[in-house]
Amino acid sequence: MLTVCFDGAGKEDTPSHKVVVVAGFASFAGMWAELENRWQSRLQHDGLSCFHAGDFSQFKGEFKTGWRDNEPRRQSLTGDLFAIIQDCGLRKFGCILPLETFALACERRQLQLDAYAFAATTAVDDFQGYARGEGVSHNVRYVFEKGDPEDHLRRIFRERGLCDPDFAWSKPHTDRKGFSHDPFIGLQAAGW
């Protein structure tokens, strides 16, 4: 199974955002298992349950206490997590979409895509080229974070002849019925 996980940044309807980014990593099942074990072990070293790049950069959530004025601790964590990504041989994929350029293209071509969906499908196209180059023609999985526009992405993927993407949590999650869901650690790496 060749799995790629993506996370997005930037919002088309937020005036201060100049770009939308959809980026992530791909690897085979064995490497994802190794990444998860090493990533979780490193987080546990600092007493963390998960890594969220936004929380880390804004000193929120688990990074609220003991992180703001401790640059050696921050550098140690980021250096170790980067090393884990590199050691596990994750492949990078993504799309940076300038919103001004995208808006002009939409006007000219009357596109029915939003910027996020366009960036996501462009990143998936890049990933598919890699998969073909590796001789992988089946058991390919696309994972996006829960809360991303699931219905919209599924529709776009179907229109383009792609299998439905999967949606997973990047953090531990308990749903309204009390069921716990483990995070997909690759989304924490992609969110970075």
Side-chain angles (χ1 to χ4, degrees):
M1 173 71 71
L2 180 59
T3 300
V4 63
C5 57
F6 292 109
D7 194 24
K11 302 271 188 228
E12 190 171 5
D13 57 356
T14 303
S16 63
H17 292 175
K18 303 295 182 208
V19 298
V20 166
V21 177
V22 175
F25 295 108
S27 195
F28 292 94
M31 283 285 93
W32 282 123
E34 181 180 336
L35 175 98
E36 183 167 346
N37 290 334
R38 292 180 63 191
W39 191 275
Q40 290 289 63
S41 177
R42 178 56 185 91
L43 292 179
Q44 288 172 356
H45 175 76
D46 273 309
L48 301 168
S49 67
C50 67
F51 180 83
H52 187 271
D55 289 353
F56 181 76
S57 69
Q58 299 296 316
F59 304 103
K60 293 180 183 176
E62 294 186 78
F63 300 100
K64 193 172 192 172
T65 306
W67 290 90
R68 183 176 298 276
D69 296 320
N70 195 338
E71 194 59 28
R73 185 180 189 196
R74 289 173 58 80
Q75 288 181 8
S76 176
L77 177 61
T78 57
D80 291 347
L81 294 179
F82 273 132
I84 292 167
I85 290 169
Q86 190 171 24
D87 291 349
C88 289
L90 300 183
R91 298 283 188 183
K92 299 176 280 191
F93 299 91
C95 175
I96 300 171
L97 183 61
L99 290 171
E100 187 175 312
T101 304
F102 180 70
L104 292 172
C106 287
E107 286 176 24
R108 283 194 299 261
R109 296 185 185 149
Q110 298 178 343
L111 293 175
Q112 298 300 313
L113 286 174
D114 64 16
Y116 178 83
F118 185 86
T121 56
T122 301
V124 166
D125 287 345
D126 189 27
F127 164 72
Q128 287 179 320
Y130 164 74
R132 281 188 214 92
E134 292 294 307
V136 176
S137 61
H138 63 287
N139 290 334
V140 176
R141 179 180 178 211
Y142 320 106
V143 181
F144 291 86
E145 189 167 2
K146 284 291 245 182
D148 286 345
E150 294 182 35
D151 293 338
H152 184 64
L153 278 180
R154 281 190 187 100
R155 183 178 56 78
I156 299 299
F157 274 52
R158 288 174 187 156
E159 287 172 3
R160 298 193 66 215
L162 300 168
C163 66
D164 280 2
D166 291 330
F167 293 87
W169 299 102
S170 65
K171 297 179 178 182
H173 177 75
T174 302
D175 65 26
R176 290 180 287 183
K177 295 185 179 185
F179 289 98
S180 296
H181 301 273
D182 292 331
F184 186 79
I185 299 301
L187 289 169
Q188 293 178 29
W192 202 346

